[in-house]
Amino acid sequence: MSKQSFKPITLKRIIETCSLAINSRGITPHSLEKNLSVSKRRAKEILSEMTKMKLLIKANEVFKASLDAIKIIDAFNQENWLIIHEILYKNYEFYQTFIDTLKKYGSKGKGLTREELLLILRKGKLKFNVVMLDVLSDWAERLGIVQHNLYEGR
């Protein structure tokens, strides 16, 4: 059985896509491609990944915003980063695994380097790589869940 992988999406793209799905009452790969100026392939990746995050619901060929997508936009507008973190943590196995690993190993001593964290994550059932780790680290840092140690590089 192969490991599950994901296509990295920035928080900005998550917010843009949720907002677009809410305001247009649904989106298609073509409308996302046009509105975000991305390739058709990338539009499909974003929609697929956000469906895995339970932020979009596919009905026929249209993707509609889920209740959690609406909550994310409300939290974003209120600058309530903890709510966004909680929704992503609850719905998205990659983010949950990343955060749980940081909690388990990062609190010991000085924390983990990027390389140490990646080695631990690669032992699990999900397929992690450097780009994914950077994207998930960015999410957690922007949402105020983790801090980067500038002196230690951890």
Side-chain angles (χ1 to χ4, degrees):
M1 183 176 183
S2 66
K3 290 185 175 188
Q4 193 179 10
S5 65
F6 95 111
K7 303 294 183 193
I9 304 172
T10 64
L11 275 178
K12 177 185 177 196
R13 283 290 191 227
I14 291 171
I15 299 299
E16 289 172 332
T17 305
C18 286
S19 183
L20 186 61
I22 293 165
N23 294 330
S24 64
R25 300 183 190 264
I27 50 178
T28 64
H30 178 72
S31 66
L32 191 66
E33 176 186 357
K34 185 177 173 183
N35 282 287
L36 297 184
S37 299
V38 296
S39 69
K40 181 181 282 188
R41 181 173 152 240
R42 184 62 181 151
K44 287 180 180 180
E45 289 173 353
I46 291 168
L47 293 170
S48 173
E49 215 54 46
M50 289 188 58
T51 302
K52 290 178 191 174
M53 291 178 202
K54 300 178 183 153
L55 299 176
L56 297 176
I57 301 163
K58 186 177 180 183
N60 297 321
E61 293 305 310
V62 177
F63 294 81
K64 297 186 182 254
S66 70
L67 183 57
D68 280 336
I70 294 166
K71 288 178 184 176
I72 279 186
I73 294 304
D74 288 344
F76 176 77
N77 290 333
Q78 296 170 24
E79 298 183 15
N80 189 336
W81 314 126
L82 183 58
I83 295 292
I84 297 172
H85 159 74
E86 289 171 351
I87 291 168
L88 292 173
Y89 181 83
K90 174 185 75 168
N91 290 348
Y92 200 48
E93 192 174 11
F94 284 94
Y95 187 64
Q96 186 179 72
T97 299
F98 171 76
I99 294 297
D100 288 348
T101 302
L102 285 177
K103 285 180 184 174
K104 183 175 181 180
Y105 297 98
S107 61
K108 297 175 183 175
K110 295 180 180 180
L112 297 168
T113 64
R114 188 169 112 180
E115 292 76 21
E116 291 167 339
L117 182 56
L118 192 55
L119 281 172
I120 293 167
L121 288 169
R122 283 184 171 162
K123 292 177 184 177
K125 66 179 182 174
L126 302 173
K127 188 176 181 180
F128 282 89
N129 62 38
V130 174
V131 174
M132 293 163 52
L133 182 62
D134 288 345
V135 168
L136 293 173
S137 296
D138 182 66
W139 289 10
E141 196 169 342
R142 289 179 186 273
L143 296 173
I145 304 305
V146 299
Q147 291 182 351
H148 183 80
N149 185 323
L150 297 176
Y151 301 107
E152 300 282 333
R154 296 175 182 260

